[in-house]
Amino acid sequence: MIWKESTRAEGVVELVFYPSESPGNALHLSDLDELNDILRELGKNRATRFLVIRSGTPGIFSERTEAAELRSITDASAGEEFSAAGQQIMDRIEALPFPSLAAINGTCLDLGFELALACSYRVATDEQHTVFGLSQVELGVLPGYGGTQRLPRLVGAAKALPLIVSDERLTALEALEIGLIDAPAAEAFIDETIGEFIDRVLQRRGRKAVARKRESRRRRTRLLERTPPGRNLIYNRMRKRIAKDRGEHYPAALEALEVVRKGMSSSMHHGLALERETFGRLVASNVTRHLLHTAWARNKLARSADARDAHARDAHARDAGARDADAHNAGRPPHDHDPVRLRSNIAILGAGVIGSRVAWLCSHADTPVALKDLSRRRIAPAYATVARIFRDVRRRERLDDRSIRIQMHRIHAGTGNHILRRADIVLETLPEDLSLKRSVLAELESVLSDRAIIATSSSTCTVDEIASSLEHPGRLAAMQFFHPADRTPLVEIAAGTNTEPETTEVLMRFARRLGKIPIVVRDRPGFLTHRVMHAYLNEAAVLVEEGIEFERVDRVFREFGLAFGPFRLIDEIGIDTVTAALRILSQSYGERLNPSSLLLEIAAQLQALGRKSGKGFYLYGTSETGSPNDDARALIAERFPQRSNLTDEDVLRRPLYMMLNEASRCLEEEIVTEPYVIDAGLVLSGGFPPFRGGIFRWADELEPSEVNKTLKEYSRHYGTRYEPPALLKELGTTGSFFYSHSR
């Protein structure tokens, strides 16, 4: 970070910080070291009457904490020193012999938020992009630079705790209401507002007026905190909320709550000491190490996609410059050659589960989208799905009726090919039927313009298989979303043998436009995540065939940390969809992925397809939603009457070891080339708990040599599908790990 010092007015110093090498505007401790040196000199200057701190990046004051910085901390004592160093700088800001003001325009998160709290005053633009929050608990730590102590002392524990323990966001007007900021400003007039505010608080009467306003707002929000029973009520409510939202696997939120509670009942000095000690203990814990690894991998994938996009833009800009020069010499007008910006007309073929949710993503990203389905009966349910998602996000994103209507109107649905003719990108979301995909896309190609790109959402059929029916196979690539597509951040993109590089680049940028994190995988059946996850789901079904209750299997996996157990996930995807995918995958990968008899029986005998049919392993759409389906239980008891004495540990490990085996094969076959990509893919697709870091991090923790022993034992008892693949055998034999830094 680069700090630039200037004189705003007589005695008023302004410090503006700009990002140096790192993308975005995330502040680091090293950035504060430089600030510390500047503050030390300013404190000696008797002519300084006021300090303004602001960001030089438009629309951003500070972004989330960088996981990479925290990953470098190796033990609790180093973590405590890290926190102490940051606290010292914040204390210096607070103790300056003159007032300070944080001028905030845009996102104000984490370290930057803690910096703003250390200032005497805060002025923020009242624009939609100005939000406040502390997201450190998502990384397994807590605010470590005084945020757990300054924020509740400023606005009260009841208003501070949701920001500290649950990654909530406040708008500028909400921040004003609770006394977090002292004045709002229109973005166009923020300089004038800051100047007027400084003039006011440099006078005694003005300072008193600001203090009275702050106290008035604080009084309204702190009624409960005036009595011990009221304070206990606040903390107990938050404990229950944390237990419900995070369970036992994410200790940082409860630890942060205790730091706030104990700090507020003692001195600031004691509260900061408790914050330092807790930060150090948390940052060195296994849970936090895994969460930091997951966040680092996610950031690396996102930045890799953005860097690839920037490189493609630069290359196209150079080519465009040469072509425009030729056009100028020939007397022709220049042409806009940006291959992605021109592709703003999106169409989706298929209004089912994936198609309707991707239509919502497009509309929510201010992108018009045409939604086509062969059956008009599927159009209305698709609109209903979009409306339901808007209702779900309305409160979280503070959307009003008008903005929802505007976004809904970006979706145009119909059954005719005419709505596809202007499309620049067409996403096909048809069922997993190779013949159907080939025939429909061949017909579609004759309707589309020559420059249109086709993306297939196929999860099992390869790009090369589908492209064989196309006249222009270079325009086709795979773009695989994951259920539920509106919430799951991962997208897999695969190029076929003849796919043009521009096609892949266009889809990468389209994914980023939708807020997704794309990873490029090799064109093989199932690609990466679907292949690995189906091995896991199928083995869970085999356990039930052997006599384990499906409710018990789901319970064991929820206790492991998954949001859904395997059978609840099968219901969400669709039992018919899972079995169809397994049939196709088994043709390429052999009997280890043959669909289990259980899945075939449930779908065929009960016509139970999961949530979409109202029943699967569980019931849906009634007052009994989420209850086990008694018909499924009865069928299982009749068809698979044997009982099993398998331990919970084996119930957990058998499906996970099938996942591990398949993930290892994907690494061997170079579906992707780095273990962190597979780990991140499984976490981002919702298939693995973030606090465990991914399937390879989990295997490293168990040690591959021990995993190999168990796999060989399973292979003897349950079949050769458990035989460890070559990579896993090698790691076990050599005593190595998937990650060289794991030990």
Side-chain angles (χ1 to χ4, degrees):
M1 199 67 68
I2 299 170
W3 295 83
K4 291 189 177 180
E5 180 182 343
S6 62
T7 301
R8 183 183 177 91
E10 185 179 352
V12 179
V13 175
E14 183 168 271
L15 285 178
V16 183
F17 56 93
Y18 299 86
S20 50
E21 295 181 2
S22 62
N25 223 46
L27 285 167
H28 303 84
L29 183 60
S30 57
D31 301 323
L32 297 189
D33 287 341
E34 186 180 347
L35 173 62
N36 199 27
D37 294 337
I38 297 171
L39 293 174
R40 188 181 294 111
E41 294 304 313
L42 284 175
K44 299 175 184 176
N45 187 348
R46 294 186 178 182
T48 303
R49 297 187 302 149
F50 204 97
L51 172 66
V52 177
I53 300 177
R54 66 193 304 175
S55 164
T57 305
I60 301 174
F61 186 79
S62 64
E63 292 184 331
R64 285 173 176 259
T65 298
E66 288 279 355
E69 184 175 35
L70 298 182
R71 288 181 84 213
S72 64
I73 301 172
T74 56
D75 55 50
S77 61
E80 193 166 344
E81 290 172 7
F82 183 89
S83 174
Q87 286 182 357
Q88 183 183 31
I89 297 167
M90 300 306 172
D91 289 347
R92 183 180 292 277
I93 295 173
E94 195 172 52
L96 285 169
F98 43 79
S100 56
L101 179 145
I104 300 156
N105 177 28
T107 305
C108 181
L109 302 177
D110 296 0
L111 197 160
F113 189 3
E114 293 187 85
L115 185 152
L117 289 170
C119 292
S120 313
Y121 305 102
R122 286 151 296 279
V123 171
T125 59
D126 55 5
E127 305 297 325
Q128 189 173 6
H129 60 243
T130 299
V131 292
F132 297 83
L134 295 165
S135 67
Q136 288 96 328
V137 291
E138 300 299 307
L139 297 177
V141 293
L142 77 169
Y145 294 160
T148 66
Q149 303 305 303
R150 288 191 176 90
L151 183 58
R153 283 172 168 78
L154 179 65
V155 303
K159 297 298 181 182
L161 281 169
L163 291 166
I164 293 170
V165 307
S166 65
D167 194 21
E168 278 196 10
R169 298 285 187 268
L170 286 183
T171 65
L173 294 180
E174 289 168 335
L176 178 67
E177 180 66 24
I178 67 171
L180 174 57
I181 66 171
D182 298 291
E187 185 171 11
F189 301 104
I190 186 170
D191 284 325
E192 290 85 348
T193 303
I194 291 170
E196 292 169 2
F197 186 86
I198 292 171
D199 290 342
R200 188 159 71 249
V201 297
L202 283 176
Q203 299 179 29
R204 185 178 178 186
R205 181 183 298 177
R207 286 195 298 277
K208 284 187 173 182
V210 171
R212 280 196 302 270
K213 279 188 179 180
R214 205 183 263 184
E215 184 56 36
S216 173
R217 296 183 184 113
R218 187 180 300 162
R219 196 178 297 120
R220 292 198 301 269
T221 62
R222 299 179 74 166
L223 293 175
L224 276 176
E225 295 175 47
R226 295 177 182 175
T227 65
R231 291 192 290 273
N232 287 335
L233 179 63
I234 291 169
Y235 294 126
N236 288 335
R237 280 178 176 173
M238 189 54 67
R239 279 192 197 93
K240 290 178 181 177
R241 176 174 164 181
I242 292 169
K244 179 182 177 183
D245 293 347
R246 296 182 179 272
E248 62 186 27
H249 298 297
Y250 297 88
L254 276 175
E255 293 271 14
L257 172 65
E258 286 304 299
V259 170
V260 171
R261 184 183 68 82
K262 292 176 181 177
M264 290 292 282
S265 64
S266 60
S267 67
M268 182 75 169
H269 176 78
H270 180 263
L272 289 173
L274 188 60
E275 180 185 88
R276 290 193 300 272
E277 185 273 328
T278 306
F279 182 93
R281 180 162 37 81
L282 285 172
V283 78
S285 68
N286 276 343
V287 166
T288 300
R289 307 315 299 164
H290 293 325
L291 288 171
L292 290 171
H293 169 80
T294 299
W296 166 82
R298 177 178 181 145
N299 290 342
K300 187 169 182 177
L301 289 173
R303 287 174 179 171
S304 174
D306 292 341
R308 182 169 174 164
D309 173 46
H311 178 76
R313 276 183 180 272
D314 290 344
H316 286 296
R318 288 192 297 270
D319 293 344
R323 286 193 290 267
D324 285 346
D326 292 341
H328 176 76
N329 293 335
R332 299 192 307 272
H335 184 65
D336 190 341
H337 295 284
D338 187 327
V340 179
R341 186 165 57 80
L342 293 176
R343 287 170 166 79
S344 57
N345 296 315
I346 310 301
I348 298 171
L349 190 56
V353 174
I354 294 292
S356 57
R357 291 174 183 270
V358 177
W360 176 83
L361 284 169
C362 292
S363 68
H364 194 47
D366 298 333
T367 302
V369 57
L371 182 61
K372 186 209 166 179
D373 199 282
L374 298 176
S375 171
R376 188 167 293 279
R377 288 181 303 175
R378 293 167 68 92
I379 300 296
Y383 272 118
T385 296
V386 171
R388 185 177 68 251
I389 297 171
F390 271 120
R391 286 196 301 272
D392 291 344
V393 303
R394 176 177 183 148
R395 180 180 175 277
R396 185 171 72 247
E397 299 192 10
R398 299 174 176 86
L399 298 174
D400 55 28
D401 289 338
R402 181 176 177 275
S403 60
I404 290 175
R405 283 196 301 272
I406 291 172
Q407 292 184 41
M408 287 281 289
H409 285 159
R410 294 194 179 101
I411 302 173
H412 172 59
T415 57
N417 281 337
H418 64 281
I419 68 172
L420 305 176
R421 289 197 177 100
R422 296 183 59 227
D424 300 311
I425 300 174
V426 178
L427 175 67
E428 167 267 304
T429 65
L430 299 172
E432 292 297 307
D433 182 324
L434 180 58
S435 298
L436 175 65
K437 289 179 182 288
R438 281 174 172 169
S439 62
V440 170
L441 293 187
E443 178 187 346
L444 176 67
E445 193 176 28
S446 65
V447 176
L448 299 176
S449 68
D450 292 342
R451 56 189 296 281
I453 283 172
I454 302 172
T456 174
S457 70
S458 171
S459 59
T460 52
C461 306
T462 67
V463 176
D464 282 348
E465 288 172 330
I466 299 170
S468 63
S469 66
L470 297 182
E471 186 178 343
H472 303 290
R475 66 163 73 184
L476 178 70
M479 187 176 191
Q480 179 59 53
F481 292 82
F482 297 88
H483 185 81
D486 53 298
R487 295 200 301 271
T488 307
L490 183 71
V491 168
E492 286 183 4
I493 294 174
T497 304
N498 297 308
T499 301
E500 296 172 358
E502 185 180 301
T503 299
T504 306
E505 304 304 336
V506 167
L507 294 181
M508 291 279 282
R509 195 185 301 180
F510 176 49
R512 295 298 285 148
R513 190 194 307 175
L514 298 183
K516 300 298 183 183
I517 297 176
I519 60 175
V520 177
V521 300
R522 190 178 170 195
D523 184 33
R524 291 276 287 146
F527 305 111
L528 172 61
T529 308
H530 268 97
R531 173 180 167 184
V532 172
M533 287 300 295
H534 277 78
Y536 150 78
L537 295 174
N538 201 45
E539 192 63 19
V542 171
L543 290 178
V544 176
E545 293 178 17
E546 295 176 5
I548 307 295
E549 299 89 351
F550 66 83
E551 306 101 298
R552 179 186 167 197
V553 177
D554 276 357
R555 173 186 58 78
V556 167
F557 277 89
R558 286 197 306 272
E559 290 173 357
F560 181 70
L562 275 77
F564 290 130
F567 292 97
R568 182 64 185 273
L569 180 58
I570 289 170
D571 274 359
E572 293 291 332
I573 298 170
I575 297 173
D576 56 332
T577 304
V578 172
T579 53
L582 285 166
R583 281 194 183 100
I584 296 171
L585 292 173
S586 65
Q587 294 171 13
S588 297
Y589 303 118
E591 64 180 18
R592 70 176 185 269
L593 289 177
N594 280 344
S596 84
S597 301
L598 170 69
L599 298 178
L600 297 171
E601 292 271 355
I602 294 287
Q605 299 298 324
L606 300 181
Q607 288 77 52
L609 306 180
R611 180 180 285 277
K612 61 188 174 186
S613 68
K615 61 180 180 178
F617 290 96
Y618 298 91
L619 300 175
Y620 304 92
T622 69
S623 59
E624 298 179 288
T625 290
S627 301
N629 181 358
D630 287 337
D631 291 341
R633 282 172 162 172
L635 179 65
I636 292 167
E638 176 187 341
R639 290 286 292 109
F640 309 102
Q642 64 268 36
R643 298 268 64 86
S644 171
N645 60 359
L646 217 59
T647 65
D648 279 359
E649 182 179 8
D650 284 327
V651 168
L652 176 72
R653 289 197 176 187
R654 279 182 54 186
L656 287 182
Y657 279 6
M658 290 299 288
M659 179 190 287
L660 175 62
N661 273 1
E662 211 61 44
S664 300
R665 292 185 182 99
C666 287
L667 211 51
E668 288 176 15
E669 298 167 20
E670 296 188 342
I671 304 301
V672 295
T673 58
E674 296 286 345
Y676 84 87
V677 179
I678 295 180
D679 276 349
L682 290 173
V683 170
L684 295 175
S685 66
F688 212 85
F691 71 91
R692 298 202 183 268
I695 191 68
F696 291 141
R697 292 276 291 193
W698 179 71
D700 275 355
E701 207 166 61
L702 295 176
E703 299 197 6
S705 58
E706 293 302 314
V707 171
N708 267 277
K709 292 177 186 177
T710 306
L711 281 170
K712 288 173 183 175
E713 183 181 335
Y714 284 170
S715 181
R716 287 194 298 271
H717 284 88
Y718 306 113
T720 57
R721 65 185 183 278
Y722 278 105
E723 187 66 26
L727 174 60
L728 203 45
K729 284 180 181 177
E730 180 187 340
L731 294 177
T733 302
T734 60
S736 303
F737 300 90
F738 287 101
Y739 291 94
S740 59
H741 59 267
S742 294
R743 289 290 188 278

